[in-house]
Amino acid sequence: MIPTLPDSLELSPEQFRNLVEMALDQLVPHLAGVADLPLDGTAADPDATTIMAASLRQALPASGTDPRALLADLVGRVVPHSFTTISPGFMAYVPGGGLLHAAVADLVADTLNRYVTVWRAAPGLAEIERTVGRWLCDIIGFPASALGVLTTGGSLGGLSALITARRARFGDAEFRHAVIYTSDQVHHAVTKAAVQIGFAPLQLRSIPTDDAYRMRLDALAAAVAADRAAGRVPFLVVASAGTVHTGAVDDLRGVADLARREQLWLHVDAAYGGFFCLTARGREAMAGIEAADSVVLDPHKGLFLPYGTGALLVRDAAALQRAFGGWASYLPRPDAGWDGLDLCDVSPELSRDFRALRLWLPLKLHGIDAFRAQLDEKLDLARWAADALRAVPGIDLVAEPQLSLLAFRLVRPGRTEAELDALNRALLDRINARQRVLLSGTTLGERFVIRMCILSFRTHRERVDEAVTIVREVVRELASG
Ligand SMILES: *Cc1c(COP(=O)(O)O)cnc(C)c1O
């Protein structure tokens, strides 16, 4: 006889409702106080953070725990030891978003838990996936032949782009002589992806950039010519539409012309910058993006979604199919006459979440203009911050904002580069120690610089003002101390 289980895994309607409400009981107050949380919750008491982290290394539980206590512990004790990425003061790295509509969409998608990778299994939901991909193609100006596929982020989008390009050019043939060109400002995810799919580091060329950190077209042309002369096969060029260092946007039209002449696949890494195409200024800065063969966008950056949503757009949908197509007898068979798209035919994933709902719901609820206005505001804020920082005595604006990211550095006459690096690291530490904004650093050439990236939907003029005031005060402190 099969024993009946005392506690079923099925939640009753009340239990489900209660569990969601318990989660909300934690989340709503957390959100209400988020603007005043320390920006780096790991800095205040590193020992406490270490103890907290160690306390979570627990054995697989044999029995259950009270849900209210669990959720309270997570949100109240564990989460405070983190970077407050959802704060309006978060301007480090590339800010992610965290639109609440997307969280609700995830609840809906996960509760429905339909299978979206095979069209036949959920035609309407599969169409939503395809439609959202189409919307992203429209945003950058890709033609009807293009296809957009949601990934978990920009890194996997870039990896899929490189696989698609490689298969389009070489099929099953070997690619030992193929060469990939990127600028010296490229995101490391791109070079990492190239190596992951079997390119040797010797097959990658790092093209120098100009004084605005844009890929030098003359150097690119020279490198391609030198490789051809040496019998190698120039194959792919990666342009950046918003580098992670300074937000630089390559001359996309110039790179596209060269790519066409040289028959290179043009991939544009627009993970950070791409959604600024929604604005007139961004569109102008990224003119030529529509001529790419593939583009990566990160909705978890420029569309303010929670982490876990990237996108790969490919001009020729058939190239995606050649790279990722495949069928097996155990999958549902397509109906005769259908024109649906099986996502598993155009992406490396098979089973996956109903990802598109996270974009579809906020976009349907607000319309794209609300996002456009937010992004326009970020461009204004970065412009304003740049002007205000330039006016701070000693601050050198190393990189003007081409989009919503800028880089600066404190300079003092007569100091060595090493001393200036130490000075700027101290400046960054002191800015962040105020816990009202979080900035981050990077190196340009050998120089350490501080970057400010404004991209959260919660960041408005007030907090940017505060950031500039803090920089001004800390610069003064450093001068007197
Ligand atoms: C964020 C970013 C990536 C990596 O994307 P993930 O979503 O973090 O995987 C790649 N390129 C650029 C320019 C980025 O800003």
Side-chain angles (χ1 to χ4, degrees):
M1 212 179 80
I2 300 170
T4 34
L5 292 172
D7 22 69
S8 161
L9 284 174
E10 183 71 272
L11 295 179
S12 72
E14 275 80 7
Q15 285 171 322
F16 181 41
R17 202 177 281 281
N18 285 342
L19 192 55
V20 172
E21 269 168 23
M22 277 181 219
L24 287 174
D25 286 347
Q26 295 301 323
L27 295 174
V28 171
H30 177 76
L31 286 170
V34 82
D36 294 315
L37 282 177
L39 262 294
D40 179 0
T42 71
D45 185 350
D47 287 342
T49 299
T50 305
I51 292 166
M52 177 283 300
S55 76
L56 290 161
R57 288 177 209 133
Q58 302 165 353
L60 181 65
S63 54
T65 313
D66 170 54
R68 193 175 289 281
L70 264 185
L71 290 166
D73 185 62
L74 182 75
V75 179
R77 184 181 68 93
V78 176
V79 170
H81 295 274
S82 61
F83 296 172
T84 308
T85 46
I86 61 173
S87 161
F90 190 79
M91 304 174 200
Y93 314 103
V94 179
L99 286 182
L100 302 181
H101 326 57
V104 175
D106 281 358
L107 175 65
V108 173
D110 292 355
T111 304
L112 297 172
N113 198 35
R114 296 303 200 270
Y115 200 74
V116 296
T117 30
V118 176
W119 190 87
R120 174 73 180 72
L125 309 190
E127 286 302 334
I128 288 179
E129 288 280 346
R130 185 184 193 162
T131 299
V132 165
R134 181 65 243 164
W135 290 347
L136 301 183
C137 289
D138 288 342
I139 288 173
I140 63 145
F142 257 7
S145 62
L147 194 70
V149 188
L150 296 179
T151 66
T152 52
S155 300
L156 286 201
L159 179 69
S160 300
L162 265 51
I163 292 170
T164 305
R166 195 192 68 197
R167 291 211 57 96
R169 178 69 178 264
F170 299 102
D172 291 322
E174 63 93 21
F175 49 94
R176 228 170 353 119
H177 300 292
V179 183
I180 294 177
Y181 305 84
T182 71
S183 88
D184 59 16
Q185 298 291 300
V186 75
H187 195 286
H188 79 290
V190 172
T191 40
K192 188 169 141 179
V195 172
Q196 280 176 61
I197 64 167
F199 288 93
L202 277 170
Q203 292 173 271
L204 312 180
R205 301 279 173 276
S206 175
I207 305 299
T209 42
D210 63 18
D211 54 11
Y213 305 101
R214 290 184 288 232
M215 179 148 59
R216 274 180 42 203
L217 292 183
D218 59 333
L220 174 61
V224 170
D227 281 320
R228 276 208 207 288
R232 290 182 283 262
V233 184
F235 145 61
L236 175 136
V237 57
V238 181
S240 303
T243 65
V244 73
H245 292 281
T246 65
V249 180
D250 288 334
D251 171 2
L252 299 181
R253 196 160 271 154
V255 180
D257 288 345
L258 192 149
R260 186 166 355 93
R261 274 200 313 277
E262 297 287 347
Q263 297 189 319
L264 306 179
W265 180 286
L266 170 58
H267 174 64
V268 176
D269 183 1
Y272 152 62
F275 285 104
F276 286 101
C277 276
L278 286 167
T279 70
R281 286 172 284 180
R283 186 75 237 173
E284 200 184 321
M286 285 180 272
I289 193 170
E290 68 287 348
D293 294 294
S294 55
V295 173
V296 157
L297 300 175
D298 251 347
H300 64 205
K301 292 173 179 165
L303 276 190
F304 320 118
L305 289 204
Y307 295 121
T309 319
L312 168 62
L313 317 180
V314 174
R315 157 181 299 278
D316 174 17
L320 272 174
Q321 248 148 349
R322 277 197 298 279
F324 299 111
W327 197 254
S329 56
Y330 41 75
L331 294 174
R333 294 215 65 80
D335 294 323
W338 74 307
D339 74 340
L341 174 79
D342 293 320
L343 281 174
C344 60
D345 237 8
V346 291
S347 111
E349 292 182 274
L350 185 55
S351 304
R352 70 166 181 77
D353 52 346
F354 176 23
R355 207 167 281 157
L357 200 67
R358 319 171 108 194
L359 283 90
W360 190 83
L361 190 66
L363 287 168
K364 289 291 271 186
L365 289 177
H366 289 281
I368 197 65
D369 283 349
F371 291 82
R372 195 192 317 279
Q374 277 274 350
L375 290 165
D376 246 325
E377 182 204 18
K378 306 313 166 221
L379 296 177
D380 289 338
L381 290 173
R383 196 64 275 154
W384 181 86
D387 291 341
L389 286 169
R390 208 183 296 102
V392 177
I395 291 290
D396 176 23
L397 211 67
V398 179
E400 295 282 341
Q402 295 178 33
L403 298 168
S404 72
L405 204 176
L406 56 94
F408 63 94
R409 174 172 208 246
L410 181 58
V411 284
R412 293 270 168 78
R415 301 281 181 98
T416 66
E417 285 297 326
E419 285 167 345
L420 285 177
D421 274 9
L423 180 68
N424 279 281
R425 286 180 199 277
L427 175 61
L428 178 62
D429 286 347
R430 290 200 192 195
I431 292 166
N432 289 343
R434 300 280 188 99
Q435 294 282 18
R436 291 293 298 168
V437 293
L438 198 73
L439 307 186
S440 61
T442 190
T443 51
L444 294 173
E446 302 286 284
R447 296 183 307 168
F448 179 80
V449 302
I450 301 174
R451 40 195 296 302
M452 177 187 280
C453 185
I454 302 170
L455 196 59
S456 168
F457 65 98
R458 294 198 175 100
T459 304
H460 303 294
R461 171 68 189 257
E462 213 178 36
R463 193 61 72 110
V464 177
D465 246 332
E466 198 177 346
V468 171
T469 302
I470 291 171
V471 173
R472 193 182 299 118
E473 287 173 6
V474 173
V475 166
R476 211 177 295 135
E477 253 172 57
L478 284 171
S480 61

